[in-house]
């Protein structure tokens, strides 16, 4: 597996580490359990890292030197692709022939490396986009900068070169075909998963609130994720302001808490204080609580404690946090974009909202404020719904794609050699 720009060993929820990191870790562990050994190549982003680290039995993370360790942004990485590819081929050269059976690349930067090494090693290339420049650019938040043309060209090359593409949802597969002219026969849909051992209702909302020191009867709309314009945490703050304007008594102590769990990322890094300042400006200083990213066990308690997870993103290829929150028995109020309509069942496990008007988010939150039993009712259905997203199913689906890619690759090689 190739994960050039972010390491599976990084804490997700800030910087470049997010759902893709969780995806690679969980998928690799499940693949290893099914008998497919995995080696994940990632760029060394700190000095003194060991060349290889065992992440789990059968899963090895290899650090590749390419460019300066720290302080290199994702936008600067294309200049280091040659160095990275060189590092990967050096490691491969030290192995027995036929060491790798297949290359699985994640995100377009890795796809560029995968394109080259898969061809050189004579093995199939399977690629997962995770996000697509054209889709992202069509749904930018106000003031967010568009993805460059070089990325669009790079993605188009990978779509052509890959033996198989893996899309998170049927919608993403359709976007690959529509925007990148992908071959539908070579585009498979495999849903990401949720670690159902970690993300489960456990001892419930009251116990989680007690552990986190949160008021028992408060309305708690929770934001979890990387703080960047695309994820629109500001929209939640505007919605909370609207809610308070409708019912100022919600500002009384113990009635409303708005936790934001995660760190700055991408274009959000340019002004990391922006969201805090917005909270101050909207008069929400005492209600909004910022928390740095946390590990998955602790995160599960945040989900359980919330009345609802709010995910107002402009674009989301799947939205793992929406699936995780539901698995913990918490409903989700989400923008009806990307994979979220697959993850959230409107009116059954939460609410899907068209557009990005804070008033509509405030309407949804008002329903929770008016009906204290709503979180539990929708949450029970949410926990059941989320059970269909286990990582074991993702791994089984991925193995099928590997098999199909291997067969068609062999067939193509045979045809090419007469
Ligand atoms: N996450 C985490 N700790 C945090 C915040 C987020 O581990 O404090 C993880 C979360 O569990 C989820 C991932 O980061 O698996 C975010 O994935 P998502 O698909 O929601 O968004 P992405 O980051 O891929 O845009």
């Amino acid at each position: 597996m190739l994960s050039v720009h972010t390491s599976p060993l990084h804490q997700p929820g800030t910087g470049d580490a997010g759902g893709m990191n969780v995806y690679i870790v969980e998928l690799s562990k499940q693949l290893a359990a099914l008998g497919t050994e995995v080696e994940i190549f990632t760029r060394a982003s700190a000095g003194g890292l060991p060349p290889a680290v065992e992440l789990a039995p059968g899963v090895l993370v290899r650090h590749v030197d390419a460019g300066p360790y720290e302080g290199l942004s994702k936008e600067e990485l294309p200049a280091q692709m040659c160095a990275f590819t060189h590092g990967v081929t050096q490691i491969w050269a030290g192995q027995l022939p036929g060491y790798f059976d297949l290359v699985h690349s994640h995100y377009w930067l890795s796809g560029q490396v995968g394109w080259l090494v898969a061809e050189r090693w004579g093995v199939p290339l399977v690629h997962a986009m995770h996000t697509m420049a054209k889709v992202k650019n069509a749904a930018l938040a106000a003031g967010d900068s568009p993805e460059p043309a070089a990325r669009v060209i790079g993605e188009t090359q990978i779509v052509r070169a890959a033996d198989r593409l893996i899309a998170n949802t049927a919608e993403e597969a359709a976007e690959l075909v529509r925007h990148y002219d992908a071959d539908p026969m070579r585009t498979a849909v495999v849903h990401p998963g949720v670690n159902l051992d970690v993300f489960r209702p456990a001892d419930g909302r009251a116990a989680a609130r007690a552990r986190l020191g949160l008021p028992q009867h408060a309305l708690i709309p929770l934001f979890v994720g990387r703080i960047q314009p695309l994820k629109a945490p500001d929209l939640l703050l505007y919605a909370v302001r609207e809610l308070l304007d409708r019912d100022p008594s919600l500002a009384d102590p113990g009635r409303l808490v708005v936790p934001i769990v995660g760190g700055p990322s991408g274009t959000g890094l340019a002004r990391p204080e922006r969201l805090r300042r917005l909270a101050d400006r909207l008069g929400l200083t005492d209600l909004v609580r910022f928390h740095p990213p946390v590990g998955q066990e602790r995160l599960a308690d945040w989900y359980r404690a919330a009345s609802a997870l709010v995910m107002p993103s402009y674009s989301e290829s799947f939205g793992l946090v929406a699936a995780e929150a539901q698995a913990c028995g918490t409903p989700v109020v989400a923008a009806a974009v990307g994979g979220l309509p697959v993850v959230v069942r409107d009116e059954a496990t939460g609410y899907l909202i068209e557009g990005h008007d804070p008033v509509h988010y405030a309407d949804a939150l008002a329903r929770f404020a008016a009906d204290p039993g709503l979180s539990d009712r929708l949450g029970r259905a949410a926990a059941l719904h989320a059970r269909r997203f286990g990582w074991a199913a993702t791994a089984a689906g991925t193995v099928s794609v590997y098999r199909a890619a291997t067969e068609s690759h062999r067939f193509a090689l045979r045809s090419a050699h007469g």
Side-chain angles (χ1 to χ4, degrees):
M1 282 204 198
L2 299 170
S3 175
V4 175
H5 78 282
T6 178
S7 166
L9 302 173
H10 288 165
Q11 166 64 54
T14 188
D16 287 332
M20 195 184 102
N21 304 61
V22 173
Y23 185 103
I24 292 173
V25 168
E26 299 288 350
L27 172 65
S28 300
K29 284 185 187 167
Q30 294 289 336
L31 285 173
L34 292 176
T36 300
E37 283 185 47
V38 181
E39 296 199 4
I40 307 164
F41 293 81
T42 190
R43 198 183 78 84
S45 57
L49 293 174
V53 177
E54 190 185 56
L55 180 77
V59 183
L60 199 69
V61 176
R62 290 194 187 268
H63 292 121
V64 178
D65 283 335
Y69 294 129
E70 281 111 3
L72 198 66
S73 75
K74 197 162 73 174
E75 290 65 39
E76 293 170 293
L77 278 178
Q80 299 303 329
M81 289 302 98
C82 277
F84 189 91
T85 308
H86 179 260
V88 174
T89 50
Q90 284 291 99
I91 292 166
W92 173 77
Q95 313 297 335
L96 292 170
Y99 186 71
F100 295 117
D101 298 303
L102 179 141
V103 176
H104 186 167
S105 51
H106 298 269
Y107 192 68
W108 80 278
L109 291 168
S110 302
Q112 289 281 306
V113 180
W115 180 20
L116 211 144
V117 296
E119 202 171 298
R120 174 140 162 65
W121 302 343
V123 299
L125 174 66
V126 173
H127 181 74
M129 287 286 203
H130 293 277
T131 64
M132 287 177 266
K134 283 191 184 175
V135 175
K136 231 170 148 177
N137 286 348
L140 283 182
D144 206 358
S145 19
E147 293 296 313
R151 176 174 170 187
V152 174
I153 295 166
E155 288 177 340
T156 309
Q157 291 162 336
I158 298 155
V159 166
R160 258 189 243 129
D163 293 276
R164 284 290 183 282
L165 295 164
I166 294 185
N168 285 332
T169 59
E171 167 68 14
E172 191 188 333
E175 282 166 345
L176 274 162
V177 174
R178 195 164 58 238
H179 295 302
Y180 291 90
D181 204 19
D183 175 0
M185 300 299 288
R186 290 191 289 136
T187 306
V189 176
V190 182
H191 291 318
V194 174
N195 186 334
L196 296 168
D197 295 329
V198 174
F199 298 109
R200 58 197 168 85
D203 50 3
R205 191 159 284 111
R209 287 188 176 197
R211 280 192 290 276
L212 291 167
L214 292 166
Q216 281 301 331
H217 303 293
L219 172 69
I220 304 185
L222 167 73
F223 176 90
V224 173
R226 295 184 282 156
I227 298 176
Q228 48 178 233
L230 193 80
K231 300 236 172 228
D234 53 331
L235 210 150
L236 170 59
L237 301 193
Y238 286 116
V240 168
R241 182 64 262 167
E242 165 75 21
L243 197 64
L244 283 167
D245 290 344
R246 292 181 196 175
D247 179 3
S249 75
L250 278 170
D252 294 347
R255 292 212 53 204
L256 176 63
V257 178
V258 187
I260 311 263
V261 181
S265 164
T267 44
L269 272 167
R271 285 187 293 158
E273 283 304 301
R274 189 180 155 267
L275 200 61
R276 207 180 280 270
R277 266 198 235 114
L278 179 67
D280 294 345
R281 196 154 52 77
L282 294 174
L284 307 176
T285 314
D286 297 335
L287 301 177
V288 180
R289 299 187 188 163
F290 291 90
H291 300 274
V294 291
Q296 306 255 294
E297 297 280 351
R298 186 74 172 168
L299 187 58
D301 255 350
W302 278 109
Y303 290 136
R304 285 174 202 128
S307 312
L309 175 91
V310 183
M311 198 165 196
S313 309
Y314 284 91
S315 160
E316 203 65 65
S317 72
F318 192 70
L320 284 183
V321 298
E324 293 164 356
Q326 291 180 98
C328 290
T330 294
V332 176
V333 175
V337 299
L340 288 170
V342 173
V343 185
V344 180
R345 288 246 164 91
D346 192 25
E347 300 279 339
T349 72
Y351 300 111
L352 286 169
I353 302 200
E354 298 290 342
H356 292 86
D357 186 341
V359 168
H360 298 148
Y361 285 84
D363 291 344
L365 294 181
R367 293 170 83 159
F368 289 97
D371 178 357
L374 184 62
S375 292
D376 285 341
R377 287 200 310 278
L378 293 179
R380 272 193 292 277
L384 278 177
H385 174 57
R387 297 204 69 79
R388 54 191 283 247
F389 297 121
W391 286 108
T394 310
T398 304
V399 168
S400 303
V401 177
Y402 289 174
R403 289 219 176 90
T406 305
E407 269 164 36
S408 60
H409 187 257
R410 273 202 204 118
F411 181 76
L413 281 185
R414 269 202 304 268
S415 313
H417 295 107

